Amino acid sequence: MRSTSPASCALRPWRSLTRSVAKRSAICTASIRPCASTAGRRCSRDPPVADAVLICTQDRMHYDPAVKALALGYHVLLEKPMSNDPGECVRLGQYAERTDRVFAICHVLRYTPFFSTIKRLLDEGRIGDPVTIDLIENVGYWHQAHSFVRGNWRRADESNPMILAKSCHDLDILVWLAGADCDTLSSFGGLRHFTEENAPPGAPYRCLDGCPVSDECPYYAPDIYLNNEDKVSERILRGAISHDTSEEGVLEALRTGPYGRCVYRCDNDVVDHQVVAMEFSNGITATFTMTAFTTDGGRTLKIMGTRGQLRAHMAKNTIEISDFKTGRVETIDLQSTGLNHGGGDRGIMRDFTRLVRGGGRRSQPVLGGRLGSEPYDGVRGRAVKAFAQGDTDSGFDGIR
């Protein structure tokens, strides 16, 4: 949903999907940007022109449009995170409850075939009672460089800390899989590599200004945007940095725009690695690792239970279940969904429109088991993130 980050590489499919849904279900996809556009101002003060709105503004531009949309009677699908202010999360949840509107947050991983299958297997008791969960978010070296060193999410004061901007999906999934609230946690990490101190001798401000280590630096911008072996990613990245996606257009963007900067000469401050250890109220413990320093992106997961273990690889769409008693190993190969957050974008849109059509009532099961209780899940999740990022002034005195 964001045009500047491969974290939202489903930009074009998502837009085509929302246009299709709007045609069928009278969903208004206009963003309500406070004082940002004529369409936004018109939508925020006129009588409702549709059943629902999708609010897809940048991280720190969510609260006001969401409040206005709910006040006008719209059902709301709000891009994550709800807000970087815990108080605003609480107020949004309360406001949605009072207005009796569908209010959903785009935590799309719950709606992927990958994670919904894992949740079903746990609920069926396939590995007994879950005891320990280990989740790793492999951001990928090029993704970190694009979005969180050179890009829009590089600074916490302009967007959000990494744990909220990127890893809110993962903490949400951990709460969902554990099936309980997080009681205690500890977290540590930092910005280790992408700093001025690690710049190679003689490295210029821009890669194209005669970088002396261009042949060996994995973050050399022309290699990421013009010589990427993954042509799908390369095409998406080109469109993220320039409207002109020809080679010359991309080179011009690298000469003049933020994405051509040396990764060691940027003004980034978000972490490039972080670990969170969590204990849930039902006794389950979990660890989450976010790291920039991987070849491929995607998430890997291991869940250890009393009767077996489950291992899963999201990028490969495979789930492996081992049974302690029989020694049997079952491998589930899910159909690849390509982009669209592993199919989660389509899943959440399907369930959201289904709920809107029913006036907020579930006529069929909701895939993520989430829509309709969003405000409370979102507040609880934001509390987890507040503690994970060391936000002791968050306004939460405990995670319950």
Side-chain angles (χ1 to χ4, degrees):
M1 293 175 70
R2 299 183 173 107
S3 60
T4 50
S5 168
S8 297
C9 57
L11 171 68
R12 289 177 181 83
W14 178 280
R15 280 183 175 168
S16 62
L17 175 63
T18 54
R19 282 197 294 268
S20 176
V21 170
K23 185 175 180 180
R24 295 195 309 268
S25 309
I27 299 295
C28 173
T29 58
S31 297
I32 304 178
R33 300 182 179 88
C35 302
S37 71
T38 301
R41 290 192 295 273
R42 183 176 66 250
C43 215
S44 66
R45 67 170 182 263
D46 289 348
V49 296
D51 297 312
V53 295
L54 276 62
I55 298 176
C56 312
T57 48
Q58 280 286 346
D59 290 10
R60 291 177 179 259
M61 299 172 65
H62 289 174
Y63 180 74
D64 288 341
V67 168
K68 291 176 182 177
L70 289 169
L72 287 167
Y74 290 103
H75 300 289
V76 174
L77 180 60
L78 178 64
E79 175 61 287
K80 58 83 182 171
M82 290 176 71
S83 170
N84 64 329
D85 181 335
E88 289 185 351
C89 292
V90 173
R91 291 192 292 275
L92 275 174
Q94 293 171 340
Y95 206 87
E97 184 73 14
R98 287 199 303 269
T99 56
D100 195 28
R101 298 288 85 187
V102 176
F103 179 57
I105 312 301
C106 291
H107 288 300
V108 296
L109 293 188
R110 292 194 184 202
Y111 302 90
T112 62
F114 179 79
F115 279 110
S116 61
T117 300
I118 291 172
K119 176 64 171 174
R120 175 178 58 79
L121 294 169
L122 294 180
D123 291 345
E124 291 174 353
R126 293 291 300 276
I127 62 169
D129 295 329
V131 178
T132 306
I133 305 174
D134 182 20
L135 175 62
I136 300 176
E137 181 176 16
N138 307 283
V139 177
Y141 72 96
W142 58 269
H143 187 170
Q144 183 79 20
H146 172 79
S147 296
F148 306 104
V149 177
R150 295 171 170 134
N152 287 355
W153 293 273
R154 70 191 183 280
R155 294 187 58 85
D157 60 350
E158 293 181 6
S159 58
N160 277 302
M162 188 76 163
I163 199 72
L164 185 57
K166 183 74 173 76
S167 301
C168 60
H169 286 304
D170 304 272
L171 297 182
D172 174 72
I173 280 295
L174 285 172
V175 170
W176 189 46
L177 294 179
D181 292 346
C182 177
D183 277 342
T184 58
L185 64 79
S186 61
S187 180
F188 48 91
L191 178 58
R192 176 188 176 113
H193 184 67
F194 301 101
T195 64
E196 187 82 20
E197 293 76 17
N198 289 318
Y205 179 71
R206 292 186 177 278
C207 293
L208 288 173
D209 289 343
C211 177
V213 294
S214 60
D215 290 341
E216 58 191 77
C217 178
Y219 308 103
Y220 183 60
D223 285 345
I224 292 177
Y225 297 102
L226 292 172
N227 304 316
N228 196 323
E229 291 184 2
D230 183 343
K231 294 305 177 184
V232 174
S233 295
E234 180 185 277
R235 184 173 67 252
I236 294 167
L237 292 174
R238 284 189 180 198
I241 71 171
S242 174
H243 293 298
D244 179 359
T245 58
S246 67
E247 182 170 341
E248 185 51 44
V250 171
L251 285 172
E252 179 61 22
L254 298 182
R255 293 187 196 101
T256 59
Y259 295 95
R261 292 179 294 175
C262 171
V263 293
Y264 307 105
R265 306 293 192 193
C266 295
D267 59 344
N268 56 298
D269 64 6
V270 299
V271 301
D272 53 23
H273 69 292
Q274 185 167 359
V275 174
V276 182
M278 310 167 67
E279 183 176 37
F280 294 89
S281 60
N282 58 4
I284 291 177
T285 56
T287 57
F288 168 65
T289 299
M290 182 285 300
T291 179
F293 306 106
T294 59
T295 301
D296 301 313
R299 293 166 170 89
T300 51
L301 176 72
K302 184 176 182 181
I303 305 177
M304 293 140 275
T306 56
R307 300 182 63 86
Q309 72 173 24
L310 181 152
R311 295 192 301 177
H313 195 300
M314 189 174 185
K316 296 179 180 178
N317 259 322
T318 59
I319 302 170
E320 179 188 278
I321 305 170
S322 302
D323 186 280
F324 293 160
K325 177 66 174 177
T326 65
R328 180 172 178 263
V329 178
E330 177 186 357
T331 300
I332 301 172
D333 289 310
L334 299 169
Q335 183 176 357
S336 176
T337 55
L339 303 177
N340 303 300
H341 291 105
D345 293 353
R346 291 182 179 273
I348 197 171
M349 287 302 302
R350 180 177 58 248
D351 286 348
F352 180 68
T353 54
R354 183 185 300 163
L355 273 175
V356 169
R357 287 185 182 123
R361 295 178 296 277
R362 291 190 179 108
S363 58
Q364 301 178 49
V366 175
L367 176 63
R370 180 178 179 84
L371 292 177
S373 61
E374 290 285 354
Y376 303 103
D377 283 351
V379 170
R380 183 166 63 242
R382 178 59 182 88
V384 172
K385 296 156 203 164
F387 277 79
Q389 70 195 41
D391 186 0
T392 56
D393 297 322
S394 64
F396 292 99
D397 58 4
I399 303 175
R400 293 291 185 265

